[in-house]
Amino acid sequence: MVCFRLSLMPGSGLVSLCLVLGAVSAYALELNLMNSEKATCLYAKWQMNFTIRYETTNNKYKTVTISGLGNATYNGSTCGDDQNGPKIEVQFGSGFSWTVNFTKEVSTYSIENISFSYDTHDNTTFPDAKEKGVFTVHYPVAFRIPLDDIFRCNAILTLQENMVVQHYWDVHVQAYVQNGTVSTKEFLCDKDKTTTMVPIVPTSLPSPTTTPTPKEKPEIGSYSVNNSNGTCLLATMGLQLNMTHDKVASVVNINPNTTDFTGSCHSQTALLRLNSSNIKYLDFVFAVKNENRFYLKEVNVSMYLDNGSVFSTANNNLSYWDAPLGSSYMCNKEQTVSVSGAFQINTFGLRVQPFSVIEGKYSTAQECSLDDDTILIPIIVGAGLSGLIIVIVIAYLIGRRKSYAGYQTL
Ligand SMILES: *[C@@H]1O[C@H](CO)[C@@H](O)[C@H](O)[C@H]1NC(C)=O
Ligand SMILES: *[C@@H]1O[C@H](CO)[C@@H](O)[C@H](O)[C@H]1NC(C)=O
Ligand SMILES: *[C@@H]1O[C@H](CO)[C@@H](O)[C@H](O)[C@H]1NC(C)=O
Ligand SMILES: *[C@@H]1O[C@H](CO)[C@@H](O)[C@H](O)[C@H]1NC(C)=O
Ligand SMILES: *[C@@H]1O[C@H](CO)[C@@H](O)[C@H](O)[C@H]1NC(C)=O
Ligand SMILES: *[C@@H]1O[C@H](CO)[C@@H](O)[C@H](O)[C@H]1NC(C)=O
Ligand SMILES: *[C@@H]1O[C@H](CO)[C@@H](O)[C@H](O)[C@H]1NC(C)=O
Ligand SMILES: *[C@@H]1O[C@H](CO)[C@@H](O)[C@H](O)[C@H]1NC(C)=O
Ligand SMILES: *[C@@H]1O[C@H](CO)[C@@H](O)[C@H](O)[C@H]1NC(C)=O
Ligand SMILES: *[C@@H]1O[C@H](CO)[C@@H](O)[C@H](O)[C@H]1NC(C)=O
Ligand SMILES: *[C@@H]1O[C@H](CO)[C@@H](O)[C@H](O)[C@H]1NC(C)=O
Ligand SMILES: *[C@@H]1O[C@H](CO)[C@@H](O)[C@H](O)[C@H]1NC(C)=O
């Protein structure tokens, strides 16, 4: 099988080129959607294959590979309207379908939510399948591309899920095509950037890719939330996010200059939400306990990763930054909030007051105990106590057994 690799040509030359291409390369999928004025509104050309694992009637697992997607149809693909965004729908083989949605922001558009369905009723593709039915897998991808740029990725992109692995390569796609002309300005995926060494710097937006700046300390930002009574939450902190994805840890410093914040204040809870080009949201939820103290109870995060996927995690059972109501919590030293095994936040120069802010100013601070060794004492006492409890429990059990044995001999 010969596969032609032709780079995209600008403008009107495109269509004729594509027809030739479509005839020669059986593997490439290609779609040129027109709007009602017969102007191109969405263009896509790409290759993909799938590896599906399924359970057989004798409780073993088999894998099948779906590649060389000839004879695909594109029913349901649309340029979208005021209510719905554009989408590509592809049908191929016996009951396979593949969908991707697009959305538009002010100066960017996103490739979102890839889903793939397969039908195990087809017993030539899925011999001995235990469960017959249509299965759908969703991938919450989110590639952000400047408006009027075409996304290109010649390198292989892999999406993985429990039962299905998808590979994509030679991808060219542009939604929201302006004036019927497919753009010549390419927005490269990260893998292509490193191989071509011709970085394309989008002018309209900071690159959504996370540029790791691991060693440096993050800049300290000041955040606040207002309600009708004025400022109700104050936070000053440098934030460094550390996420582990596919066993690789990446560390991202939050730049307060390019980070937006909002939030809300209630009597028992308060929320501070940050977002930026690569952080969909980072929520800090504070709560009151015992009517006299506050603490950081919950962190929710969702981030756009370099490879186009979205990393999300949450924990609503935290207990950090604990201080009396009416005061603020302060910690100048680096401190770590461990949200999950895969996500932690390192804080620098931290000061927060989520409740009872008076005239927009911090109240007296309760400092963290990281600086002195007093924190060790409760740990030692605690360890000693739990040791004692274990001894008591063992003694009790032994005692119980003895008396039980005693009854038996009676
Ligand atoms: C799927 O495509 C990728 C990328 O071209 C290739 O490396 C892989 O071998 C293909 N898998 C199968 C089973 O054909
Ligand atoms: C495509 O359709 C033609 C005729 O309809 C058929 O002969 C051919 O096998 C099909 N190819 C694939 C890959 O399904
Ligand atoms: C796609 O639409 C065409 C014409 O509208 C129809 O003939 C064909 O059966 C449809 N294919 C699928 C898979 O629905
Ligand atoms: C993508 O999926 C998420 C969650 O299912 C949903 O909230 C969002 O609206 C979807 N986006 C599109 C463009 O369909
Ligand atoms: C894609 O958008 C359509 C509406 O246009 C929606 O019905 C569908 O659920 C979306 N798909 C995903 C995977 O979010
Ligand atoms: C596949 O299913 C059809 C009916 O759905 C049946 O007639 C045929 O024997 C099956 N083939 C195999 C190999 O199980
Ligand atoms: C589309 O056409 C309008 C008017 O002809 C023009 O102002 C605009 O710059 C064009 N946009 C692009 C991306 O070519
Ligand atoms: C504003 O302050 C008044 C008086 O302290 C209080 O009763 C009211 O609940 C406050 N409103 C909000 C939204 O916090
Ligand atoms: C909150 O209100 C204060 C005045 O009370 C104002 O200076 C500040 O800009 C406001 N902050 C936000 C985020 O709206
Ligand atoms: C990031 O997290 C990993 C795994 O938890 C850890 O090994 C690494 O030291 C952390 N890096 C920073 C800078 O916190
Ligand atoms: C943020 O803005 C300040 C003042 O404009 C500047 O000094 C600082 O270098 C900027 N920080 C970053 C990380 O861009
Ligand atoms: C933060 O989110 C708001 C609302 O969703 C959006 O308007 C704003 O552009 C985002 N900020 C950044 C820096 O991306």
Side-chain angles (χ1 to χ4, degrees):
M1 244 334 133
V2 189
C3 240
F4 286 87
R5 270 208 189 181
L6 296 176
S7 62
L8 196 70
M9 293 282 149
S12 54
L14 191 71
V15 179
S16 52
L17 175 74
C18 298
L19 291 176
V20 176
L21 201 76
V24 189
S25 167
Y27 286 10
L29 294 154
E30 186 157 37
L31 179 64
N32 194 348
L33 279 182
M34 310 266 191
N35 61 17
S36 49
E37 281 100 49
K38 294 267 185 297
T40 299
C41 57
L42 187 152
Y43 173 78
K45 177 168 93 67
W46 75 106
Q47 307 210 44
M48 60 183 174
N49 66 18
F50 305 87
T51 304
I52 306 165
R53 203 161 69 99
Y54 68 97
E55 197 174 0
T56 61
T57 42
N58 55 2
N59 299 325
K60 296 235 169 60
Y61 284 92
K62 276 192 181 168
T63 56
V64 293
T65 296
I66 314 298
S67 57
L69 316 174
N71 297 353
T73 57
Y74 300 91
N75 294 0
S77 300
T78 145
C79 287
D81 51 35
D82 294 343
Q83 267 84 47
N84 298 304
K87 64 180 170 185
I88 299 177
E89 289 197 12
V90 186
Q91 305 83 32
F92 50 88
S94 50
F96 295 99
S97 69
W98 182 89
T99 309
V100 62
N101 282 354
F102 299 86
T103 54
K104 188 164 124 175
E105 295 89 38
V106 179
S107 59
T108 58
Y109 66 98
S110 301
I111 305 175
E112 283 185 11
N113 293 1
I114 288 177
S115 69
F116 171 63
S117 300
Y118 54 99
D119 189 350
T120 54
H121 281 116
D122 170 16
N123 60 8
T124 50
T125 311
F126 300 99
D128 311 319
K130 188 176 178 183
E131 286 182 71
K132 307 273 187 195
V134 178
F135 295 86
T136 302
V137 290
H138 293 280
Y139 297 88
V141 297
F143 290 98
R144 286 222 257 176
I145 303 150
L147 215 56
D148 202 34
D149 278 14
I150 183 164
F151 175 76
R152 189 199 86 189
C153 199
N154 288 336
I156 298 171
L157 295 169
T158 303
L159 296 181
Q160 212 153 345
E161 195 258 1
N162 197 12
M163 302 304 259
V164 183
V165 180
Q166 315 189 0
H167 294 293
Y168 301 89
W169 67 103
D170 285 350
V171 176
H172 299 82
V173 58
Q174 185 182 2
Y176 304 99
V177 171
Q178 311 281 300
N179 298 346
T181 308
V182 176
S183 181
T184 52
K185 211 157 82 203
E186 292 182 332
F187 182 81
L188 306 187
C189 62
D190 285 336
K191 280 188 177 173
D192 279 18
K193 269 182 209 160
T194 49
T195 51
T196 57
M197 315 220 303
V198 189
I200 297 208
V201 182
T203 48
S204 48
L205 90 171
S207 167
T209 58
T210 50
T211 333
T213 43
K215 296 270 157 53
E216 284 167 39
K217 281 190 183 177
E219 205 160 301
I220 292 175
S222 292
Y223 309 100
S224 64
V225 177
N226 285 357
N227 67 7
S228 52
N229 282 356
T231 303
C232 58
L233 180 153
L234 286 169
T236 308
M237 53 200 176
L239 296 171
Q240 184 174 69
L241 311 182
N242 180 359
M243 77 214 92
T244 311
H245 189 69
D246 291 340
K247 295 186 181 144
V248 181
S250 47
V251 177
V252 182
N253 286 346
I254 290 190
N255 178 359
N257 293 356
T258 56
T259 302
D260 284 345
F261 54 92
T262 56
S264 59
C265 301
H266 305 281
S267 63
Q268 297 296 308
T269 61
L271 164 75
L272 173 65
R273 163 171 290 193
L274 309 186
N275 75 311
S276 68
S277 60
N278 52 10
I279 301 170
K280 199 171 171 188
Y281 55 81
L282 171 59
D283 287 356
F284 295 90
V285 181
F286 300 88
V288 173
K289 67 175 177 190
N290 304 332
E291 288 173 8
N292 61 7
R293 298 186 77 86
F294 70 82
Y295 67 108
L296 177 67
K297 182 176 190 300
E298 183 172 341
V299 169
N300 300 321
V301 66
S302 187
M303 302 201 38
Y304 304 108
L305 296 186
D306 288 5
N307 65 4
S309 58
V310 175
F311 174 90
S312 300
T313 191
N315 189 338
N316 65 3
N317 199 15
L318 301 173
S319 189
Y320 290 99
W321 307 352
D322 186 315
L325 279 179
S327 69
S328 57
Y329 176 87
M330 189 159 129
C331 200
N332 279 320
K333 283 199 157 189
E334 178 176 354
Q335 219 187 3
T336 298
V337 172
S338 193
V339 178
S340 72
F343 185 74
Q344 19 179 286
I345 304 171
N346 300 325
T347 62
F348 299 80
L350 172 76
R351 188 163 185 186
V352 289
Q353 186 166 350
F355 298 99
S356 346
V357 173
I358 298 165
E359 288 172 352
K361 293 200 188 76
Y362 283 111
S363 308
T364 49
Q366 157 123 354
E367 282 207 59
C368 58
S369 41
L370 279 182
D371 311 83
D372 52 43
D373 294 331
T374 49
I375 191 164
L376 278 178
I377 293 164
I379 292 175
I380 293 164
V381 171
L385 268 179
S386 49
L388 193 63
I389 289 170
I390 290 169
V391 169
I392 292 171
V393 168
I394 290 172
Y396 169 76
L397 288 176
I398 291 171
R400 226 175 93 113
R401 263 180 102 166
K402 276 206 176 134
S403 55
Y404 186 66
Y407 280 119
Q408 273 207 329
T409 53
L410 271 176

